[in-house]
């Protein structure tokens, strides 16, 4: 079904004049819908393999955005810029299911804002920390038990490790021999994958409502001032660990190289970026983190980087079915880059 036809089902205030592929997400298919009116839109096809229950996912997004909208209004902010706004379908639903069973949704396009795919200025990274910290603070009294667990065990690093071992064992794409070094690197760190989860189970760290995908291109900064504006990509908002939200952002934004840099000699942890983000995140959290959470922030960074390395390698071993890939060995490059970053974190953070 063509995109124009899909858009007919939504309650758009202005008709679309163009629809173009947009953004650099690895999961959903995103399009920018331009109009001649006062608002533009983002059209997304939700990845049905990654999210097998898109209706439940959208319930989470509705609940979260309504909760945030109320908070933003109370503090005199503008919810149409500071959180996502769902444009409903004509029957009132938050998504449209096409004849092929694909799920589509439309958000209001947030104007005069920027999304970065790489950190250009330290200050911008600091601001993104403020945005994710604030997001966490705003959701600190959100009723976590009303959220559906969209991807069970999403950041359960212990279970991610088991899935990785399973992929090695099955070796369905016949790529195991080529990645022996990477497999060994991950195996040497097996014990550590349970540290944070064990602390959670012992009640040493709280379970919070977290974003769970805090990479730089999931946050918007004001186009003029470059101040923290809006956290987007709310598909994975679920109960989780604050140190994971911190760590995933560090994994992406404090790396001196791109996430998929094939030349790993360019990969390292920028301590300057680490500190800037840490400062912003703590400020945004507004004193809500416990001493233990603050102490475990470096471990959160290391675990999210190791987990991502395991996930890219698992996908590579399974024949690249989860993350969008743009070239041969893309997932392997991404994996090697994450593992090189883990090694540098071990030198600099511990
Ligand atoms: P994915 O899950 O594939 O990463 P995202 O929801 O993060 O999808 O969207 C992909 C990109 O589209 C974002 O990085 C951002 O550039 C852009 N985008 C998404 N939602 C909006 C919005 N409401 N306004 C402006 N840009 C958006
Ligand atoms: C995916 O959707 P996107 O591109 O923001 C992934 C994250 C990974 C990230 C790695 C739902 O994020 O968990 O950390 O790629 N999202 C999902 O770049 O799996
Ligand atoms: Mg995204």
């Amino acid at each position: 079904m063509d995109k124009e036809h899909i858009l007919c089902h939504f309650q758009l205030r202005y008709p679309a004049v163009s629809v173009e592929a947009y953004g650099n997400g690895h999961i959903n298919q995103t399009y920018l819908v331009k109009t001649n009116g006062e608002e533009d839109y983002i059209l997304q096809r939700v990845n049905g393999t990654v999210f097998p229950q898109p209706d439940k996912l959208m319930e989470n997004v509705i609940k979260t955005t309504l909760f945030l909208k109320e908070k933003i209004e109370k503090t005199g902010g503008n919810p149409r810029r500071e959180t996502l706004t769902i444009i409903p379908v004509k029957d009132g639903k938050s998504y449209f299911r096409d004849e092929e069973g694909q799920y589509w949704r439309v958000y209001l396009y947030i104007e005069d804002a920027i999304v970065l795919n790489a950190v250009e200025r330290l200050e911008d990274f600091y601001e993104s920390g403020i945005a994710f910290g604030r997001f966490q603070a705003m959701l600190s009294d959100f009723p976590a038990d009303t959220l559906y667990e969209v991807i069970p065990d999403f950041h359960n690093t212990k279970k991610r490790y088991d899935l990785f071992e399973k992929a090695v064992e099955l070796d369905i794409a016949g790529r195991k021999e080529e990645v022996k070094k990477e497999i060994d690197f991950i195996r040497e760190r097996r014990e550590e994958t349970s540290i944070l989860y064990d602390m959670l189970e012992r009640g040493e760290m709280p379970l919070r409502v977290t974003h769970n995908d805090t990479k730089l291109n999931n946050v918007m900064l004001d186009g003029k001032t470059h101040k923290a504006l809006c956290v987007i990509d709310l598909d994975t908002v679920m109960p989780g660990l604050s140190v994971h939200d911190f760590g995933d952002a560090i994994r992406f934004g404090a790396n001196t190289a791109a996430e998929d840099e094939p030349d790993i000699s360019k990969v390292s942890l920028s301590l300057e970026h680490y500190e800037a983000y840490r400062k912003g995140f703590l400020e945004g959290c507004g004193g809500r983190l416990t001493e233990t959470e603050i102490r475990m922030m470096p471990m959160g960074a290391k675990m999210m980087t190791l987990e991502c390395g395991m996930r890219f390698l698992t996908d590579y071993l399974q024949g690249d079915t989860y993350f969008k890939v743009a070239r041969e060995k893309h997932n392997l490059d991404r994996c090697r880059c994450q593992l090189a970053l883990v090694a540098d974190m071990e030198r600099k953070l511990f």
Side-chain angles (χ1 to χ4, degrees), residues 25 27-28 30 42 44 84 108-110 115 217-218 220 233:
I27 303 295
N28 297 313
T30 303
I42 285 284
Q44 278 183 328
L84 290 173
L108 186 69
Y109 178 80
I110 298 170
V115 169
N217 62 14
N218 286 333
M220 303 193 84
D233 202 346

Side-chain angles (χ1 to χ4, degrees), residues 300-319:
K302 180 173 166 184
M303 279 307 112
M304 282 301 92
T305 312
L306 182 66
E307 182 198 90
C308 212
M310 289 195 287
R311 291 175 66 197
F312 288 141
L313 189 57
T314 302
D315 199 27
Y316 185 69
L317 289 165
Q318 291 176 336

Side-chain angles (χ1 to χ4, degrees), residues 22-32 40-42 44-45 51 80 83-85 105 107-111 113-117 213 215-220 230 232-235 324:
Y22 193 71
N24 285 301
H26 292 345
I27 303 295
N28 297 313
Q29 194 59 52
T30 303
Y31 302 90
L32 169 60
D40 294 327
Y41 308 102
I42 285 284
Q44 278 183 328
R45 194 184 70 210
F51 302 112
R80 285 169 66 87
T83 189
L84 290 173
T85 303
R105 66 179 167 209
Y107 289 128
L108 186 69
Y109 178 80
I110 298 170
E111 307 277 347
I114 55 161
V115 169
L116 298 168
N117 286 299
D213 188 2
K215 75 179 185 189
L216 189 66
N217 62 14
N218 286 333
V219 65
M220 303 193 84
C230 176
I232 60 172
D233 202 346
L234 304 179
D235 297 342
K324 281 191 220 160

Side-chain angles (χ1 to χ4, degrees), residues 59-336:
E59 274 176 37
N60 278 3
V61 178
I62 295 171
K63 283 180 195 148
T64 319
T65 50
L66 288 180
F67 187 89
L68 291 171
K69 183 170 184 269
E70 223 173 89
K71 286 235 160 145
I72 294 163
E73 274 167 353
K74 269 190 199 145
T75 52
N78 176 357
R80 285 169 66 87
R81 277 173 66 63
E82 294 169 39
T83 189
L84 290 173
T85 303
I86 299 169
I87 307 290
V89 174
K90 287 179 179 154
D91 66 7
K93 280 209 182 89
S94 58
Y95 59 85
F96 171 69
R97 190 170 180 272
D98 70 16
E99 290 148 3
E100 293 160 18
Q102 306 268 20
Y103 282 73
W104 297 84
R105 66 179 167 209
V106 173
Y107 289 128
L108 186 69
Y109 178 80
I110 298 170
E111 307 277 347
D112 305 319
I114 55 161
V115 169
L116 298 168
N117 286 299
V119 178
E120 287 155 23
R121 301 186 322 186
L122 197 60
E123 190 72 5
D124 293 343
F125 194 41
Y126 161 75
E127 285 295 328
S128 76
I130 294 191
F132 280 120
R134 235 184 241 158
F135 182 83
Q136 175 122 149
M138 280 197 283
L139 291 178
S140 59
D141 55 344
F142 183 94
D145 54 352
T146 65
L147 284 178
Y148 171 75
E149 203 178 347
V150 199
I151 303 177
D153 296 315
F154 189 55
H155 285 319
N156 185 333
T157 40
K158 273 199 281 193
K159 295 222 169 129
R160 289 286 182 190
Y161 182 85
D162 295 341
L163 292 174
F164 149 75
E165 282 290 4
K166 190 92 210 152
V168 175
E169 187 194 318
L170 296 177
D171 192 23
I172 56 167
R175 294 171 168 175
K176 188 166 88 176
E177 290 307 311
E178 181 194 355
V179 294
K180 277 191 167 148
K181 257 170 57 188
E182 288 72 21
I183 294 174
D184 287 346
F185 183 97
I186 295 169
R187 284 186 174 154
E188 281 158 22
R189 286 151 185 85
R190 180 194 183 151
E191 305 261 289
E192 284 176 279
T193 60
S194 46
I195 292 180
L196 295 171
Y197 261 80
D198 290 349
M199 290 179 80
L200 177 71
E201 273 163 22
R202 291 196 299 265
E204 291 168 26
M205 275 199 294
L207 190 65
R208 298 182 182 274
V209 175
T210 47
H211 183 278
N212 298 307
D213 188 2
T214 52
K215 75 179 185 189
L216 189 66
N217 62 14
N218 286 333
V219 65
M220 303 193 84
L221 305 180
D222 184 278
K224 286 195 195 76
T225 63
H226 283 217
K227 293 277 173 211
L229 180 66
C230 176
V231 166
I232 60 172
D233 202 346
L234 304 179
D235 297 342
T236 51
V237 175
M238 284 179 286
L241 292 173
S242 63
V243 295
H244 282 164
D245 266 9
F246 170 72
D248 198 32
I250 293 297
R251 172 191 77 75
F252 191 89
N255 186 350
T256 51
E259 184 187 66
D260 59 356
E261 172 59 58
D263 177 0
I264 57 163
S265 71
K266 292 186 181 157
V267 176
S268 68
L269 175 76
S270 159
L271 279 177
E272 198 184 15
H273 285 76
Y274 181 92
E275 285 307 330
Y277 188 89
R278 182 179 189 275
K279 184 166 178 281
F281 189 72
L282 288 175
E283 275 172 34
C285 285
R288 282 176 181 78
L289 298 191
T290 64
E291 264 178 42
T292 309
E293 284 175 300
I294 294 175
R295 184 164 53 80
M296 297 314 285
M297 282 164 96
M299 189 49 104
K302 180 173 166 184
M303 279 307 112
M304 282 301 92
T305 312
L306 182 66
E307 182 198 90
C308 212
M310 289 195 287
R311 291 175 66 197
F312 288 141
L313 189 57
T314 302
D315 199 27
Y316 185 69
L317 289 165
Q318 291 176 336
D320 308 311
T321 55
Y322 187 95
F323 296 103
K324 281 191 220 160
V325 284
R327 59 176 189 251
E328 227 191 296
K329 299 188 197 278
H330 204 167
N331 272 320
L332 182 56
D333 286 342
R334 287 169 175 154
C335 160
R336 288 184 170 146

